[in-house]
Amino acid sequence: MTEIAGDLTTKAAADTPRRGPTNLQTALLGGFAVLPALAWAWGFTVDDALITARVATHLASGLGYRFNAGGPVVDAVTPLGFAFLLAPLARGGVVAAFAAAKWLGALAWVASAVLLGRALGWRGVRHRRFLPLLVVAVSLPCAAWAVSGMETGLVTLLATLAVCGAKGDRPLWAGLCAALRPELAPWALVLGVARPVLERSAIQQVALGGLSGVAPAVVVALLRWKIFDHALPLAFYAKPSDLEHGLRYTLGGLAFTGLPMLLLAPLELSRVSRRCRGWFAACVAHAVALALAGGDWMALYRLWVPVLPMMALVGAELCEHATIRACALRVVLGLGSAGLLAFGLGLRARSVGAERAQLIVAGRSALAFSSRTASEDVGWVGAASDSEVIDLAGVTDPTVAFFPGGHTSKRIPEHWLRARDPDAIVLLLARAEAVEEPYWDSLFAREVEQSVARSVRERYRVRTTLPFGDQRYLLLERAPDTH
């Protein structure tokens, strides 16, 4: 009876003649709500975004799905197919492709917010249902990852369509999300089966809902197996994680992305519609998936972002059934947690793009002499030079991906690096550290760089350093008479 009452309440709210804002007004409210944060976070990016841009540039040039122009076809980016989307915009080079990706992500996030605002208008009749937009507006993860140059903005739009789009198309959007981001497969599966299960539909309907959520991800996995000889993204092997890190990542996202605070309403949850309870179940499934997958090594909880608009919708329906005091308390908690992340990491995050752009400009002249450059951060090096880039992290190199260690601690065999014979090696010094004499006694940012510096100390010398915020990259060149 409670379930029926919850659905009838939502239906009655939708059927009631509304004297409040129109569809257009609520849609615009959602879109305008996210613009200030987008503008403020515009400078955010990560090195991996430039990897995708380089692959897209090679596609645009007719060189194929490759990170190095003369190298093998390689699964260099997790969302298989995203580079093809950027390719028509990549004829101006890596930086142009990267800029196009930033705009694409920003527009996708604005479109998601427009859909969210429109959907909030139909979640009830009380104005308090719009309160979740306050938390969305100050969400640094949503804004920053939308403009990062990665695929997150697009995936977030697809995830929003999976709950706000035309009813018949929703399973398709959820499945496409899982195809681009494999960790979203459990979310898509639960989203597909939740409502048929709650409505006690026939087993065929439950099976069809689940199949629609996971089938696209299975197809992509089979394509990967056929093309690259592994079903999971190369980054899964290059950046191994564990349950402990996954739990920390999951709990951190719940605590600091803001929107999960709106769901702290166990009593009201029993009063919402079946659809809303299905959404809540999908969010729980995603949290479990992130923990089991080991989370992510990038800042600002990237893997949480696609499901945050769904949390806003659940929060809106909870607000419809809760007292204004309870709603205000949850919104204050959400604003507080999101604000802690924004003020704690926001200034640093928004400066990364400008620092990396300066680094690319400086790297173009500094790396002009090199035909093969080894580095842990291959994105900016690949943007600064058209030459071959030797990946010390394994994100673009299947051989290195399966070396022992994590992506910052790969144990690079000395004979392997000698065989690759780089003209230059780029190593990042630890924060606020200067170059020591000899250079291999310097404190480097990551374990792999520390070990590489020691293994090549007899064969390479310091050529120059390149500034990057409060850190510096050390550029090594082959010493005379050591070829």
Side-chain angles (χ1 to χ4, degrees):
M1 291 298 292
T2 304
E3 293 179 357
I4 296 173
D7 280 353
L8 288 175
T9 300
T10 302
K11 185 179 186 302
D15 292 340
T16 300
R18 295 182 302 155
R19 298 174 184 174
T22 65
N23 286 340
L24 178 60
Q25 289 171 332
T26 59
L28 292 175
L29 178 65
F32 281 112
V34 301
L35 291 180
L38 273 178
W40 192 76
W42 184 260
F44 177 73
T45 188
V46 290
D47 194 66
D48 282 18
L50 292 165
I51 296 176
T52 311
R54 194 178 210 232
V55 174
T57 301
H58 289 155
L59 284 170
S61 302
L63 298 175
Y65 203 84
R66 309 171 192 275
F67 179 67
N68 286 314
V73 173
V74 61
D75 187 16
V77 286
T78 298
L80 190 64
F82 184 58
F84 285 99
L85 184 62
L86 295 181
L89 307 171
R91 299 191 182 279
V94 176
V95 174
F98 167 68
K102 286 178 73 72
W103 278 105
L104 179 64
L107 292 173
W109 174 228
V110 172
S112 301
V114 166
L115 288 170
L116 176 61
R118 185 178 183 277
L120 287 177
W122 289 101
R123 297 321 300 166
V125 294
R126 295 176 174 175
H127 291 304
R128 70 186 66 163
R129 69 190 185 278
F130 294 104
L131 286 174
L133 277 180
L134 294 174
V135 186
V136 172
V138 300
S139 172
L140 179 61
C142 288
W145 281 109
V147 300
S148 67
M150 298 284 281
E151 78 288 344
T152 310
L154 176 62
V155 175
T156 303
L157 175 58
L158 295 176
T160 307
L161 283 167
V163 293
C164 298
K167 185 176 180 180
D169 296 334
R170 289 174 186 174
L172 171 63
W173 301 125
L176 288 176
C177 287
L180 288 170
R181 295 297 324 177
E183 74 280 353
L184 282 167
W187 168 84
L189 174 63
V190 172
L191 198 62
V193 304
R195 183 154 187 173
V197 168
L198 289 171
E199 292 178 346
R200 297 183 177 88
S201 300
I203 189 65
Q204 294 90 337
Q205 292 297 320
V206 176
L208 182 62
L211 183 63
S212 65
V214 299
V218 172
V219 170
V220 170
L222 292 174
L223 284 173
R224 275 199 168 95
W225 184 274
K226 177 69 174 178
I227 300 170
F228 307 117
D229 294 325
H230 51 80
L232 294 174
L234 186 61
F236 176 82
Y237 306 100
K239 301 180 179 182
S241 190
D242 52 46
L243 182 59
E244 180 183 355
H245 183 269
L247 287 171
R248 288 201 306 268
Y249 184 89
T250 301
L251 293 175
L254 290 171
F256 294 111
T257 56
L259 276 306
M261 295 296 173
L262 303 180
L263 277 55
L264 298 176
L267 296 180
E268 288 86 355
L269 192 62
S270 64
R271 300 166 59 191
V272 298
S273 65
R274 288 189 179 102
R275 178 184 296 174
C276 188
R277 270 176 279 167
W279 294 345
F280 182 86
C283 291
V284 172
H286 187 60
V288 174
L290 291 186
L292 293 177
D296 188 28
W297 296 102
M298 296 184 187
L300 299 178
Y301 303 105
R302 170 178 66 126
L303 301 184
W304 271 110
V305 171
V307 305
L308 293 182
M310 174 186 282
M311 290 186 177
L313 281 173
V314 176
E317 192 160 329
L318 289 170
C319 285
E320 183 70 15
H321 295 282
T323 65
I324 187 63
R325 181 177 299 178
C327 293
L329 176 60
R330 289 196 290 269
V331 169
V332 168
L333 287 174
L335 289 172
S337 68
L340 283 173
L341 189 66
F343 286 106
L345 296 178
L347 289 175
R348 172 59 186 155
R350 69 194 299 263
S351 67
V352 172
E355 293 169 356
R356 203 173 297 278
Q358 294 172 2
L359 183 63
I360 291 171
V361 172
R364 284 175 181 153
S365 58
L367 293 170
F369 75 98
S370 176
S371 60
R372 289 179 304 280
T373 304
S375 178
E376 167 101 0
D377 297 325
V378 298
W380 77 261
V381 174
S385 172
D386 293 330
S387 64
E388 179 185 353
V389 182
I390 302 170
D391 186 356
L392 300 179
V395 179
T396 66
D397 190 320
T399 301
V400 180
F402 289 95
F403 283 160
H407 71 290
T408 62
S409 59
K410 291 294 183 188
R411 294 192 282 278
I412 307 294
E414 185 175 350
H415 66 85
W416 179 87
L417 189 58
R418 186 185 290 268
R420 298 300 297 269
D421 193 27
D423 298 317
I425 301 177
V426 179
L427 308 173
L428 181 63
L429 293 168
R431 198 170 301 279
E433 290 291 325
V435 183
E436 301 290 341
E437 182 61 44
Y439 72 82
W440 52 83
D441 284 341
S442 304
L443 183 61
F444 291 90
R446 295 158 294 205
E447 185 179 334
V448 64
E449 292 160 323
Q450 201 81 52
S451 63
V452 166
R454 290 169 181 162
S455 70
V456 302
R457 60 186 178 184
E458 303 298 333
R459 297 184 291 121
Y460 287 82
R461 65 183 183 184
V462 176
R463 181 181 178 95
T464 188
T465 61
L466 300 171
F468 179 59
D470 59 354
Q471 294 177 270
R472 300 189 75 82
Y473 279 94
L474 183 62
L475 175 58
L476 305 180
E477 64 178 354
R478 192 184 296 108
D481 304 323
T482 59
H483 196 281

